[in-house]
Amino acid sequence: MSDIDEVKQRTDIVEVISQYASLTKAGRTFRGLCPFHSEKHPSFFVYPEQQSWHCFGACNSGGDAFSFIMKKQGIDFGDALRLLAERAGVTISPQFEQKAEGKEKLYQANQAAAQYFHNLLLNSPAGEKARSYVASRGLSPKTITDFQLGFGLNNWEALKQHLTERDYTESELLTAGLITEGEAGKTHDRFRNRLMFPILDSRGRIIGFGARALDDSLPKYLNSSQTPIFDKSGSLYGINLAVAAIRQQDLAVIVEGYTDVITAHQNGFDNVVASMGTSVTEKQVRSLKRLTKNMALALDADAAGEEAMLRGAGYENILDAEVKVIILPKGKDPDDVIREDVKTWRNLVEEALPVIDYIFNMATSKLDLTTARDKSLAANKLGPIIVEIKDDIRRDHYSRKLANLTGTGYNNMEAFLSKIRPSRKATKPRQKAVVSATHPLLSSPLEEYCLALLLQHPGLKDNDKGLSPEYFENSENREIFIAWQKTNDLPSLKAKLDTAIWKYLDSLVTKSLPPGSQTEPERAFATCTLRLREEHLRSLEAKRGEVLASEAKAGGTAAELAKLEEQGIELSVQLGEVFTQKNQRGQY
Ligand SMILES: [Zn+2]
């Protein structure tokens, strides 16, 4: 199963959309006020069976969970995929299909960009604001050089121009994530008016950038997009400067932010790396494990509990790492703590608790362990975590600890624990426990067939009239179609698409098609365009029908019912057109 399919299977569109709009159940659908346009009477519907949404009001458009997130957050398909993947606990594997020499060019482009940004920070008049920002954070000139910090001009084309003059093609810069494509297909710099943090791998190659806004722009921190050489969820900021210290001290300290790492290193704490704004991932722990088994997570006081439960304990078991937890003072990050007093930080690291002990403290802090009720509560909370511990000696240690805490005999505790069946699945770190059931996959063979035809017969390029992106209900298919419309060959098509779709794209390119479509591709394509349009109209009609039914039941006003009827008439006119065309073509 592909990563995209796995995310789809583990995502419930009703849960996703409920985070942004309040939905109420209406028959087999859910309805609410449209989150995309302002309205008083709800015309926004979610269809759990089709895992899709549609606004019958001003938007008159719809799609799946990906398109909803893309529209709502203003992000591209790849970022929406990663957001939903994280929510569903699915790891998106990077697609390293690019040839080595292609990758080499990407490293070079990043290196050239970093030099350009660094020079601007040190020398340009426009860099004054960035210089005073780094000065206000107390960063020394040596630190600025060590971390190759930089500044991106408040200009849409500065970097693009600089690098194209140095023989990098637009397509290479797009693939490297240094420029992005705007609405009209025009490319521009991704990072503008930002302080730049080059991200290096352990071999010292620049794989991407983090960038902090120097004005009110959002997001405050922006990263390179996923590229053939950059996978944020598997990279650690500062690792290039931390490798030696981590090995030597046999401990890696993981913080969240860029400045946390920089301030730590400036003050001599060289074994510190950052997960870059997100919770630490399994991939990051895996890559650290090559250097040390011992890791300490610096966690925010508020989020620490959940993080420790969901990730720390899980990583210990899955990856056989020793995870400790550093609890930061409320409202402070490591950068603040270190700048205030390095001793405090040193103590916090020294006093880091093994993750299971921390979970013990947390689970029992509000309990009165002299009462039978709370003893039982503690055992039921901690038991499931203890039975998951893989290492026998350690498991025994904590089972004794729980026996002591609850004043139960050891044998009694063992008997209690043996009744809790370990579920290996539960140890897998998950972002949120909301994901329970999975859905059957709703694939669309027709959409796939149509795309495969287009991809395998470049001659159809001038023939796509009548096919519209909205006929593709699956976002990944819609993405591929839109990119195909704008490009002329597979490499440039790939460059436009997120790497997470590449594997799927390749499967379409190599999909075997019926003989008829090989000999008469135009005819096959015309037929499948018609069928796609028909499928699209029929699905809309079915959705409208459900809405109409629930609307009538709920006593919708005459005006609303009339509007839905009107849309129905429009749909049947369009379906009529499809039938006429099918008749003319002899398809019944
Ligand atoms: Zn709407």
Side-chain angles (χ1 to χ4, degrees), residues 36-231:
F36 302 119
H37 81 273
S38 131
E39 61 178 3
K40 292 214 170 73
H41 184 81
S43 55
F44 179 86
F45 287 80
V46 182
Y47 304 86
E49 282 166 36
Q50 290 93 350
Q51 287 290 303
S52 67
W53 59 274
H54 196 91
C55 167
F56 286 92
C59 309
N60 194 22
S61 66
D64 56 13
F66 296 112
S67 66
F68 181 87
I69 293 288
M70 286 160 73
K71 202 167 162 160
K72 191 67 209 156
Q73 305 260 44
I75 53 181
D76 63 19
F77 176 81
D79 287 340
L81 171 68
R82 268 170 275 281
L83 202 143
L84 288 177
E86 192 171 341
R87 191 176 179 279
V90 175
T91 313
I92 302 291
S93 36
Q95 306 292 315
F96 291 129
E97 292 175 34
Q98 196 102 4
K99 290 202 184 75
E101 73 224 56
K103 279 201 205 169
E104 199 44 55
K105 198 74 198 275
L106 300 182
Y107 290 123
Q108 286 166 11
N110 276 334
Q111 180 68 42
Q115 266 159 11
Y116 173 71
F117 291 139
H118 188 56
N119 184 40
L120 285 173
L121 175 66
L122 297 184
N123 303 315
S124 73
E128 186 49 46
K129 199 172 172 189
R131 282 194 292 276
S132 56
Y133 174 79
V134 291
S136 76
R137 310 297 292 187
L139 303 187
S140 71
K142 179 178 183 300
T143 298
I144 293 169
T145 312
D146 286 349
F147 284 90
Q148 304 177 53
L149 300 186
F151 167 65
L153 291 172
N154 194 6
N155 181 307
W156 292 83
E157 301 232 308
L159 177 71
K160 181 176 141 185
Q161 226 165 42
H162 177 84
L163 290 180
T164 44
E165 277 165 17
R166 278 153 189 79
D167 287 336
Y168 292 95
T169 64
E170 259 187 58
S171 143
E172 282 162 351
L173 300 180
L174 266 176
T175 310
L178 292 167
I179 60 175
T180 52
E181 201 176 70
E183 287 270 304
K186 209 171 151 359
T187 57
H188 58 78
D189 288 5
R190 181 176 175 90
F191 305 108
R192 299 178 306 279
N193 200 21
R194 284 173 182 270
L195 182 66
M196 302 300 300
F197 302 89
I199 301 163
L200 287 78
D201 62 13
S202 56
R203 292 163 63 183
R205 298 176 299 194
I206 299 181
I207 52 178
F209 291 89
R212 186 192 190 281
L214 290 165
D215 50 26
D216 302 333
S217 303
L218 290 172
K220 194 170 166 197
Y221 281 93
L222 178 69
N223 282 107
S224 293
S225 50
Q226 176 126 349
T227 74
I229 58 170
F230 182 58
D231 168 28

Side-chain angles (χ1 to χ4, degrees), residues 10-52:
R10 291 180 175 279
T11 298
D12 178 32
I13 195 164
V14 178
E15 277 174 8
V16 170
I17 295 182
S18 295
Q19 293 186 318
Y20 303 90
S22 119
L23 300 175
T24 47
K25 200 161 193 310
R28 290 191 294 176
T29 66
F30 288 80
R31 63 188 289 171
L33 293 173
C34 176
F36 302 119
H37 81 273
S38 131
E39 61 178 3
K40 292 214 170 73
H41 184 81
S43 55
F44 179 86
F45 287 80
V46 182
Y47 304 86
E49 282 166 36
Q50 290 93 350
Q51 287 290 303
S52 67

Side-chain angles (χ1 to χ4, degrees), residues 170-389:
E170 259 187 58
S171 143
E172 282 162 351
L173 300 180
L174 266 176
T175 310
L178 292 167
I179 60 175
T180 52
E181 201 176 70
E183 287 270 304
K186 209 171 151 359
T187 57
H188 58 78
D189 288 5
R190 181 176 175 90
F191 305 108
R192 299 178 306 279
N193 200 21
R194 284 173 182 270
L195 182 66
M196 302 300 300
F197 302 89
I199 301 163
L200 287 78
D201 62 13
S202 56
R203 292 163 63 183
R205 298 176 299 194
I206 299 181
I207 52 178
F209 291 89
R212 186 192 190 281
L214 290 165
D215 50 26
D216 302 333
S217 303
L218 290 172
K220 194 170 166 197
Y221 281 93
L222 178 69
N223 282 107
S224 293
S225 50
Q226 176 126 349
T227 74
I229 58 170
F230 182 58
D231 168 28
K232 187 176 160 213
S233 71
S235 309
L236 289 156
Y237 180 67
I239 189 70
N240 55 308
L241 298 170
V243 169
I246 290 173
R247 280 220 176 94
Q248 201 189 2
Q249 298 173 36
D250 197 15
L251 171 70
V253 174
I254 308 170
V255 296
E256 242 191 35
Y258 301 101
T259 47
D260 296 328
V261 169
I262 296 176
T263 302
H265 281 245
Q266 182 166 301
N267 287 280
F269 304 107
D270 287 345
N271 61 340
V272 178
V273 292
S275 59
M276 296 187 281
T278 46
S279 312
V280 65
T281 67
E282 185 175 330
K283 259 192 257 175
Q284 289 169 333
V285 173
R286 227 178 255 286
S287 79
L288 276 177
K289 266 237 15 219
R290 283 178 285 146
L291 306 171
T292 178
K293 263 182 86 162
N294 302 303
M295 304 173 197
L297 305 177
L299 299 178
D300 190 69
D302 292 325
E306 198 188 355
E307 281 286 310
M309 294 275 275
L310 286 174
R311 292 170 189 270
Y315 294 144
E316 277 207 336
N317 292 321
I318 300 174
L319 301 173
D320 186 30
E322 308 241 352
V323 179
K324 288 188 174 180
V325 178
I326 298 168
I327 307 296
L328 296 164
K330 218 173 168 52
K332 287 186 181 169
D333 49 33
D335 180 29
D336 303 322
V337 176
I338 298 169
R339 283 195 294 139
E340 270 166 32
D341 183 9
V342 291
K343 261 189 240 146
T344 314
W345 173 252
R346 198 171 285 131
N347 290 341
L348 284 176
V349 176
E350 270 167 20
E351 288 159 11
L353 275 182
V355 64
I356 306 284
D357 290 287
Y358 172 69
I359 293 173
F360 261 76
N361 289 357
M362 202 183 58
T364 54
S365 65
K366 290 193 182 108
L367 298 181
D368 174 5
L369 289 174
T370 60
T371 68
R373 179 177 157 273
D374 285 8
K375 281 178 181 175
S376 161
L377 269 178
N380 282 301
K381 260 191 198 171
L382 295 166
I385 291 159
I386 295 174
V387 296
E388 294 288 351
I389 301 174

Side-chain angles (χ1 to χ4, degrees), residues 353-529:
L353 275 182
V355 64
I356 306 284
D357 290 287
Y358 172 69
I359 293 173
F360 261 76
N361 289 357
M362 202 183 58
T364 54
S365 65
K366 290 193 182 108
L367 298 181
D368 174 5
L369 289 174
T370 60
T371 68
R373 179 177 157 273
D374 285 8
K375 281 178 181 175
S376 161
L377 269 178
N380 282 301
K381 260 191 198 171
L382 295 166
I385 291 159
I386 295 174
V387 296
E388 294 288 351
I389 301 174
K390 263 198 198 154
D391 183 298
D392 291 337
I393 308 293
R394 246 199 244 203
R395 193 175 53 244
D396 188 63
H397 170 88
Y398 288 109
S399 122
R400 280 173 202 281
K401 180 166 175 172
L402 185 58
N404 284 339
L405 266 177
T406 53
T408 312
Y410 174 70
N411 291 338
N412 233 343
M413 182 52 70
E414 281 294 290
F416 168 77
L417 292 177
S418 68
K419 279 187 232 149
I420 309 173
R421 202 161 50 91
S423 69
R424 280 284 155 243
K425 231 180 158 186
T427 60
K428 209 170 179 202
R430 294 243 177 268
Q431 170 75 357
K432 290 213 168 62
V434 289
V435 184
S436 43
T438 61
H439 308 277
L441 264 185
L442 301 160
S443 70
S444 170
L446 186 57
E447 289 185 9
E448 286 168 23
Y449 168 67
C450 215
L451 282 178
L453 257 179
L454 284 180
L455 294 166
Q456 294 179 26
H457 297 279
L460 294 172
K461 183 79 201 178
D462 314 314
N463 223 331
D464 72 315
K465 318 232 164 21
L467 188 53
S468 154
E470 62 176 13
Y471 295 175
F472 294 93
E473 303 237 309
N474 290 299
S475 286
E476 65 276 25
N477 292 336
R478 205 180 276 188
E479 283 291 301
I480 292 175
F481 178 69
I482 292 171
W484 175 85
Q485 283 183 311
K486 292 184 193 157
T487 51
N488 287 310
D489 55 70
L490 193 59
S492 40
L493 173 64
K494 272 197 167 177
K496 276 208 190 311
L497 290 170
D498 191 275
T499 54
I501 313 189
W502 287 8
K503 208 163 143 195
Y504 173 61
L505 179 71
D506 287 337
S507 77
L508 293 174
V509 171
T510 53
K511 192 181 176 76
S512 61
L513 298 174
S517 60
Q518 302 295 355
T519 49
E520 286 185 286
E522 282 86 9
R523 192 186 150 77
F525 183 61
T527 308
C528 93
T529 300

